[in-house]
Amino acid sequence: MMITMTFSEVGDPTPPLFVLGLGLIGGSLIRGATAFTEVSGWSPTAATRDAAAADGFTVHSSLEDILDAAAEQDGLLVLAAPLTAFDTLLPRIAERAPTVKLTDVASVKAPVADQVAELAPEVRYVGSHPMAGTQFSGWSAGSAGLFDGAAWVTCLDDDSDLTVWGDVAGLALRLGSRVVPTEAPAHDDAVARISHVPHLLALALAQVAQAGGSLAGSLAASSFADATRVAATRPELIRAMCEANGKALLGVMDETLGLLGVARGSLASTGSLQKLTSGGHEARVAFEHRADSLIELTLSGPDLLDQLISVGSAGGHVAGLIGADDDLRVRVWYPSEA
Amino acid sequence: MMITMTFSEVGDPTPPLFVLGLGLIGGSLIRGATAFTEVSGWSPTAATRDAAAADGFTVHSSLEDILDAAAEQDGLLVLAAPLTAFDTLLPRIAERAPTVKLTDVASVKAPVADQVAELAPEVRYVGSHPMAGTQFSGWSAGSAGLFDGAAWVTCLDDDSDLTVWGDVAGLALRLGSRVVPTEAPAHDDAVARISHVPHLLALALAQVAQAGGSLAGSLAASSFADATRVAATRPELIRAMCEANGKALLGVMDETLGLLGVARGSLASTGSLQKLTSGGHEARVAFEHRADSLIELTLSGPDLLDQLISVGSAGGHVAGLIGADDDLRVRVWYPSEA
C-alpha cells in the first residue's frame, strides 16, 4: 500500500514518543529524544519508574495510562521491552491502542513482525533495530548519545505505512543514527552472518583454547583476545539474541560449518587449505576496503517502498530525508568501489 | 639424557650466533643479538646479503662458509629460513656442521623435530618458536625490538641437551622474551587452538558475511572487524603455517566442529544454545581474568627436564635463569587464581 505524503509527513516533526520499557535502549531513547520531541515512558518495575522520574522524565504510572495517551495523541509507541515480554504486551496494545503507530527495537525482526500481525493486527507497525549497545543494561546504563553513529535498521514490506517509516527514520536520524531500510527476513539473515554466528564461533574458540590447558592459555595473545571478545558478553543476552533468530541462524550456521567442513576435508586429504584461505582473505580485504560516498536519490512512483528496500540491499545507509511531495528524497551513504 | 652443568653453561654468555635466513625473524635476531654477542648471518638471496652488509652486519658469502664458522666456533646455528627450505638446508648442515648446536624459529615444532632427526641426526637440536611477528616480511621489516615481551617457546624431549636449551633460553631472555619450555607435540596442539583454528574461523566468517551481500557488509561493525582481523594476513602465510601443522590442526578442527555441530543440533531440536553460551562464556572470562605472579623455582635431580616441561604445561613463562650448580634456578611467571 502506497501512502501519498508531503514533506511534513516524512518524519518531521517527530510525533510524541511513548516508550515501553526503560532499560538500556528505552532509557537511552527517552534521554536522547527529549531534545526534539515530547517523550514519556513506562516500565513494569516501580524502582525503574521512580529512577526515571527522579531524573526528570515523564513516567506513566500504568501500562493502560501510557497506551491510552499514545492512542489519544497519535504518538509513536516504541516497544523497548525484552522480546520475552512481547507476548504479554502486544494483546494489551491491541486492546487499548489498536491502530497506534508502533515500532520495536528488538534484535530480530521477522519473528516480531509475525507476532505483531497475530496479536495486534491493526497497529501501524514498522519494526526497527538500532544496532547500538554496551555490555551494561538497565535504566542507569542508558545515555542520550547511545545511538550516535549507529546503523538503525527499519523493516518494510508491501503493507508498510510510509508515514510511520518516516516517523521512525526521523527519530533515528535525529538521534544521530544512519537508517537502513530493508525487509525483516533480510535483516535476520544479515545479523546472523555478522553478529550471531560470530558470537557462536567466539564461544567455541574460547572453549577449544581452554581445553588446551594452561599452556594454550598462556600462549594466547592479542589476536586470540580479539577473536573471542564477544564471548565475554553476558551468556543470557547471547542466548536471547541468537535463539530468537533461530530460523535464519540455522541456515547461516550450516553455511559456516559447510565451509569449515570442506576445508577440513581438503586438509585431511590433500593437505591444502588453499580454497578457504584465498576466499576468506579476499572477503576480508573487500570488507576492509569498503568506502562510502554520499549521494542524493529521489524515490517515486508506485514501487517507492521497493526502491527504499533496494537502498538497504545495496548497502546504503540513509543519512537524511530532504523533503518530498509525492516523492521521497533521501541522502544516502552508498558503498563505492575502493 | 641429563646434562650436568654449571651456571656459566646455562645460557651465559650467549655463544656466537649464526643465522640462516635474514627475513623478518632472522633479520630481527641479528639486529637484536648484536648488542650482547657475536652474530653473523647468511641469506640465499644476494640482494638480502648486500642489504644486511650495507646496514653494518657480518654476512657470510656462502652457506658453506657460515656452516664451517658455526662448527669451528661451537656457535648456536639458528635456522630462520622458510619451512619449505628445511629439506634442502638440513642435509647441508649435517654435512658441514654435523654436531652443531641448532635451533629453528618455525611456527610448527613436531614435524621439524622429525625432519632434524632424519636429516641431521647428530646435531644438538632444541626447537624454538618466538611468537612474534608483524604483517610485514623481509630484511627491511626486521627490528631489534621484535621479540620484546613475546612468548618464546622452546621444545624439549628426553634426549634434549640442557646446555643448548640454556643457550636458546638465554638468547630469548636477552631479547626481552619470556621462555616457555614444553614438548613439541604440546606446542603444536596449543598453537592450533589459539592461532590456527582462530585463523580458519576468521576466514570462514569473512566469507559467510560476504555471502550476505551489501546489506550484511554495511551492518558489520567493530566486533565483526575484530573477529575477522587475522583473515587479513597474507593467505600464503596462513596456509604455510596451518598446513605444516596439519596433524595437530585436524584434531582441533574436529573438536571445534564438534562443539558447533552439537550447538547447531540443540538449536534445531530444542531451540537452546545454553551449553555453548555458558561453556564459552566461562572459558572466555577465565582467560580474561588470568593473572600471573613471579615465583622462583629450583629444579634438580634426574628428572630436571620433566620439571622444566612441567613449568610450561602449567602455563609458566621463564623470565630469568638465576644460576645453577647441578641445579637450575629459574624465575617464572605463573598463572595464579584471579
Side-chain angles (χ1 to χ4, degrees):
Chain A
M1 173 179 71
M2 245 291 296
I3 303 280
T4 301
M5 64 205 151
T6 65
F7 176 56
S8 69
E9 290 175 289
V10 186
D12 186 25
T14 295
L17 277 192
F18 297 88
V19 182
L20 293 190
L22 297 173
L24 173 68
I25 301 288
S28 295
L29 264 176
I30 200 171
R31 285 178 177 93
T34 218
F36 53 82
T37 191
E38 255 182 84
V39 52
S40 59
W42 172 80
S43 161
T45 311
T48 302
R49 291 196 302 271
D50 292 348
D55 286 343
F57 296 97
T58 305
V59 178
H60 298 266
S61 56
S62 71
L63 179 58
E64 289 70 24
D65 192 54
I66 191 172
L67 294 178
D68 291 351
E72 197 179 296
Q73 298 176 46
D74 196 24
L76 176 61
L77 187 64
V78 184
L79 196 46
L83 209 48
T84 46
F86 284 24
D87 266 346
T88 312
L89 291 170
L90 284 168
R92 308 291 297 279
I93 294 170
E95 191 187 314
R96 310 287 297 210
T99 63
V100 76
K101 297 195 271 194
L102 178 73
T103 191
D104 73 306
V105 295
S107 64
V108 60
K109 301 269 55 89
V112 173
D114 291 345
Q115 271 185 307
V116 171
E118 188 192 334
L119 301 174
E122 300 302 319
V123 298
R124 288 167 287 161
Y125 172 69
V126 170
S128 78
H129 177 203
M131 297 184 68
T134 75
Q135 55 182 308
F136 304 108
S137 56
W139 167 259
S140 61
S143 72
L146 184 71
F147 308 104
D148 198 39
W152 187 310
V153 181
T154 53
C155 291
L156 298 163
D157 62 28
D158 292 343
D159 293 328
S160 293
D161 182 329
L162 206 48
T163 303
V164 180
W165 178 80
D167 288 339
V168 175
L171 169 65
L173 291 172
R174 283 187 191 95
L175 289 167
S177 292
R178 296 163 290 118
V179 175
V180 183
T182 186
E183 293 170 298
H187 164 275
D188 293 350
D189 175 78
V191 294
R193 292 176 192 277
I194 56 107
S195 171
H196 302 169
V197 164
H199 274 84
L200 301 186
L201 296 193
L203 290 159
L205 268 187
Q207 274 193 271
V208 163
Q210 189 180 48
S214 298
L215 175 67
S218 83
L219 295 180
S222 63
S223 68
F224 178 80
D226 279 350
T228 56
R229 181 156 298 123
V230 295
T233 310
R234 281 164 53 210
E236 60 274 23
L237 294 184
I238 303 178
R239 275 190 73 180
M241 174 176 85
C242 292
E243 292 173 0
N245 198 25
K247 196 179 152 199
L249 182 52
L250 276 174
V252 181
M253 281 187 85
D254 287 345
E255 220 174 298
T256 312
L257 290 170
L259 280 174
L260 291 168
V262 168
R264 191 256 176 242
S266 170
L267 181 63
S269 60
T270 70
S272 169
L273 289 165
Q274 190 276 326
K275 200 174 161 192
L276 181 63
T277 48
S278 64
H281 178 73
E282 190 192 302
R284 165 69 199 193
V285 168
F287 169 72
E288 245 169 57
H289 289 181
R290 228 186 88 95
D292 289 337
S293 46
L294 196 59
I295 62 167
E296 211 167 277
L297 289 177
T298 299
L299 313 179
S300 62
D303 65 343
L304 196 154
L305 276 172
D306 287 338
Q307 294 171 35
L308 198 50
I309 290 166
S310 301
V311 168
S313 313
H317 288 204
V318 176
L321 301 174
I322 46 174
D325 284 316
D326 279 355
D327 301 341
L328 175 64
R329 286 211 293 282
V330 289
R331 209 178 283 123
V332 179
W333 285 107
Y334 252 120
S336 46
E337 299 313 308
Chain B
M1 172 180 69
M2 244 294 292
I3 303 281
T4 299
M5 64 204 151
T6 65
F7 176 56
S8 69
E9 289 174 290
V10 187
D12 185 24
T14 296
L17 278 193
F18 298 87
V19 182
L20 293 190
L22 297 172
L24 173 69
I25 301 288
S28 296
L29 263 176
I30 201 171
R31 285 179 178 91
T34 218
F36 53 81
T37 191
E38 257 182 83
V39 54
S40 59
W42 172 80
S43 162
T45 310
T48 302
R49 292 197 301 271
D50 292 348
D55 286 345
F57 297 96
T58 305
V59 178
H60 299 266
S61 57
S62 72
L63 179 57
E64 290 71 23
D65 192 53
I66 191 172
L67 294 178
D68 291 350
E72 197 178 296
Q73 298 175 46
D74 197 23
L76 177 61
L77 187 63
V78 184
L79 195 46
L83 209 47
T84 46
F86 284 24
D87 267 347
T88 312
L89 291 170
L90 284 167
R92 308 291 297 277
I93 294 170
E95 191 187 313
R96 310 289 295 210
T99 62
V100 75
K101 297 194 272 195
L102 178 73
T103 191
D104 74 306
V105 295
S107 65
V108 61
K109 299 270 57 86
V112 174
D114 292 346
Q115 271 185 305
V116 171
E118 187 192 334
L119 301 174
E122 301 300 319
V123 301
R124 289 167 286 162
Y125 172 68
V126 169
S128 78
H129 177 203
M131 297 183 68
T134 75
Q135 55 181 311
F136 304 107
S137 54
W139 168 258
S140 61
S143 72
L146 184 70
F147 308 105
D148 199 39
W152 188 309
V153 181
T154 53
C155 291
L156 298 163
D157 61 29
D158 291 344
D159 293 329
S160 293
D161 182 329
L162 206 49
T163 302
V164 181
W165 178 79
D167 288 340
V168 176
L171 169 65
L173 291 172
R174 282 187 191 95
L175 289 168
S177 292
R178 296 163 289 119
V179 175
V180 182
T182 186
E183 294 170 297
H187 164 274
D188 294 351
D189 175 78
V191 294
R193 292 175 191 278
I194 56 109
S195 172
H196 301 170
V197 164
H199 274 84
L200 301 185
L201 297 192
L203 290 159
L205 268 186
Q207 275 193 268
V208 163
Q210 189 180 47
S214 297
L215 174 67
S218 83
L219 294 180
S222 63
S223 68
F224 179 79
D226 279 350
T228 55
R229 181 156 295 121
V230 295
T233 309
R234 281 165 51 210
E236 59 275 24
L237 295 183
I238 303 178
R239 274 190 72 180
M241 174 176 86
C242 292
E243 291 174 0
N245 198 27
K247 196 180 151 195
L249 182 52
L250 276 175
V252 180
M253 280 187 85
D254 287 343
E255 220 175 295
T256 312
L257 290 170
L259 280 173
L260 291 168
V262 167
R264 191 257 176 241
S266 170
L267 181 63
S269 60
T270 69
S272 170
L273 289 165
Q274 190 276 327
K275 200 174 160 189
L276 181 64
T277 48
S278 64
H281 177 74
E282 191 191 302
R284 164 69 199 194
V285 168
F287 169 73
E288 245 170 57
H289 289 180
R290 229 185 88 94
D292 288 338
S293 45
L294 196 60
I295 61 166
E296 212 168 276
L297 288 176
T298 299
L299 313 180
S300 63
D303 65 340
L304 195 153
L305 276 173
D306 288 337
Q307 294 171 36
L308 199 49
I309 289 166
S310 301
V311 167
S313 312
H317 289 204
V318 176
L321 301 174
I322 47 175
D325 284 316
D326 279 355
D327 302 341
L328 175 63
R329 286 213 295 282
V330 289
R331 210 179 284 123
V332 180
W333 286 106
Y334 252 121
S336 47
E337 300 311 311

